[in-house]
Amino acid sequence: MLTLAEIRQNRTLANSIDWAMTPEKAVEMYLEWGTSWSRGNDFVSSASDESYYFVIYDWEKEPPCVTLLHRTVAGAEELAKIEVPKDLFEASCKEGGIKPGGTVQSLNRALQDWLNARIDGPPVEWFGKEH
């Protein structure tokens, strides 16, 4: 598993994190390959497509952490588990909606900004935009 410092040092990885990716979008794009054609070009078009993104497993509360995933059509690999402040974790879970049995959630903007500042990544809102 990578540490926060290792992610920060790996500029290619830090700059590739898709802050707009959600667990639901990953399912649409990678696990139900081809079903998202009606949304324009927002789908996996080849076996070489990949995404790096963070999720919250809301049952992982002690310590509160987020998980960095690498997703391809072949599956998902956990690259890192990063401990985060409890208040940010809880606020993100609450915003996403806590359900019995636990859920996989995307990060809210406050948690994204906190993580991104620690990896010294490009601004969260830049991902996917032309610069």
Side-chain angles (χ1 to χ4, degrees):
M1 289 284 187
L2 297 172
T3 66
L4 199 55
E6 290 169 327
I7 296 169
R8 182 184 176 114
Q9 290 173 338
N10 184 337
R11 299 314 311 153
T12 301
L13 176 58
N15 293 337
S16 297
I17 294 172
D18 184 346
W19 297 103
M21 182 63 74
T22 66
E24 297 83 9
K25 185 175 175 184
V27 167
E28 290 174 1
M29 291 178 65
Y30 291 94
L31 299 180
E32 297 174 11
W33 191 57
T35 62
S36 297
W37 65 269
S38 63
R39 288 182 280 285
N41 294 324
D42 198 16
F43 61 92
V44 175
S45 59
S46 77
S48 63
D49 286 353
E50 62 184 354
S51 294
Y52 297 91
Y53 60 102
F54 283 100
V55 297
I56 293 174
Y57 299 132
D58 65 11
W59 58 88
E60 294 184 338
K61 297 177 184 183
E62 295 301 327
C65 63
V66 296
T67 302
L68 177 62
L69 296 177
H70 174 224
R71 168 74 67 185
T72 66
V73 294
E77 175 187 11
E78 291 184 353
L79 299 180
K81 289 208 179 273
I82 306 298
E83 192 169 337
V84 299
K86 187 174 185 170
D87 60 329
L88 290 176
F89 178 89
E90 289 176 352
S92 193
C93 288
K94 185 176 181 180
E95 191 174 310
I98 298 172
K99 297 176 181 69
T103 56
V104 180
Q105 299 185 19
S106 55
L107 283 58
N108 70 5
R109 181 59 188 263
L111 191 47
Q112 290 175 346
D113 288 340
W114 184 90
L115 274 168
N116 195 38
R118 274 133 194 91
I119 63 169
D120 195 27
V124 169
E125 62 273 1
W126 283 16
F127 193 86
K129 292 184 178 182
E130 297 293 325
H131 291 282

